Amino acid sequence: MKLKKIATICMIVLIISTFYGCIDIKDIKDEFSNFKKSIEEHKNAEYRSAQTEAEFLVDAIERKDSQAIKAKFSTYAQSNINNLDAKIDRLIEEFPGWNDNYEVTDTSERWSNHGKITYMLTPSFDFDVDGKTYRMRIIYYTESDEDESKLGYYSIQIYERFNYEYSSDVYMHGVDDEPDILLWDYTK
C-alpha cells in the first residue's frame, strides 16, 4: 500500500514536471518527509490510545471495579450484551494476570457512509502469565456520526494462545458481530 502511494506521487511529479518544467527535488523530498511524518504521528496517536485503554482495563480489573469497566461500554453495547454485569464479574475473577511486558498490535478501521464517518480502534495485546500466552482484544468506537450510542467499548475478547497460534476452535470476534465479552470457553 505504501509503495503504491509513493509510486503514484512519483508519477504525478513526472507528469507535472513534463508539462510545467522542472520541479525542485528539495520540494519533493520535503513533501515525502511531511507525508511520512503525518503517518507516523497518526499511528503514534492510535498506539497511545490503545495503550491507554489496555492500562485502564487492566487497572480496573485489578481494582475489581466492575462499574468503571461497565461505564466504558457504549450505551448500545450495554443494551445489547446479555448478562453484562455477570460477564464483567467473570472477567474480573478469571483474568489471568498482567505484567508490563506485552505487545500492542493496534489496528483501526474508518469508513464513510454517505458522508457519515465511523472510526474504531481494535487493538490486540499479547501477554504472558505463568508460561502461558494470552491475547486480549478490545473493540471500541471513538467516532460515529451514524450512531453515537456506539461510542465506547463494543467488545472485549480474551483467549489463550497455543505456540503463538490460534486454537482451531477459537472464534475471532469482529466488528460485524454483536457486542459481547468473550472469555476462553467459546468456539465457532
Side-chain angles (χ1 to χ4, degrees):
M1 183 73 169
K2 205 183 277 188
L3 290 175
K4 286 182 180 181
K5 288 181 181 180
I6 293 172
T8 303
I9 291 171
C10 289
M11 289 300 295
I12 291 170
V13 168
L14 288 173
I15 291 170
I16 291 172
S17 65
T18 301
F19 291 105
Y20 294 103
C22 293
I23 295 176
D24 188 3
I25 296 298
K26 184 182 180 308
D27 291 340
I28 295 170
K29 286 182 180 178
D30 289 345
E31 287 298 317
F32 281 134
S33 177
N34 290 339
F35 178 69
K36 282 177 61 177
K37 185 178 177 183
S38 69
I39 289 173
E40 285 303 314
E41 288 172 358
H42 179 73
K43 285 187 176 188
N44 286 339
E46 286 179 354
Y47 181 86
R48 282 190 306 275
S49 178
Q51 185 113 6
T52 299
E53 293 305 324
E55 290 168 358
F56 167 82
L57 183 59
V58 172
D59 180 59
I61 290 170
E62 289 174 347
R63 290 184 289 113
K64 298 188 182 304
D65 191 345
S66 59
Q67 289 307 309
I69 296 169
K70 185 175 183 176
K72 283 296 232 175
F73 277 90
S74 67
T75 54
Y76 177 84
Q78 288 183 29
S79 299
N80 288 286
I81 296 177
N82 293 330
N83 303 315
L84 178 60
D85 291 324
K87 288 180 179 182
I88 291 172
D89 289 342
R90 181 174 177 219
L91 169 66
I92 289 170
E93 292 306 314
E94 295 184 20
F95 190 72
W98 187 267
N99 55 37
D100 291 332
N101 185 17
Y102 61 92
E103 177 184 336
V104 177
T105 8
D106 59 320
T107 58
S108 62
E109 298 187 29
R110 183 182 185 104
W111 64 88
S112 176
N113 183 13
H114 301 288
K116 299 198 182 272
I117 302 297
T118 299
Y119 186 63
M120 68 177 59
L121 292 175
T122 57
S124 296
F125 309 89
D126 290 347
F127 57 100
D128 295 318
V129 177
D130 297 330
K132 293 182 180 179
T133 301
Y134 297 90
R135 172 164 282 183
M136 176 172 63
R137 184 166 187 249
I138 306 170
I139 298 175
Y140 62 101
Y141 285 81
T142 59
E143 183 179 346
S144 181
D145 292 339
E146 289 184 296
D147 188 353
E148 288 189 5
S149 72
K150 289 188 176 181
L151 292 176
Y153 282 14
Y154 189 78
S155 71
I156 299 172
Q157 182 176 19
I158 300 177
Y159 53 92
E160 185 179 347
R161 295 186 68 184
F162 304 95
N163 298 323
Y164 292 95
E165 294 180 5
Y166 305 113
S167 170
S168 61
D169 61 352
V170 168
Y171 174 72
M172 291 300 297
H173 195 249
V175 296
D176 294 328
D177 294 315
E178 284 302 309
D180 210 345
I181 297 177
L182 302 171
L183 304 173
W184 304 285
D185 58 352
Y186 51 88
T187 58
K188 292 181 182 177

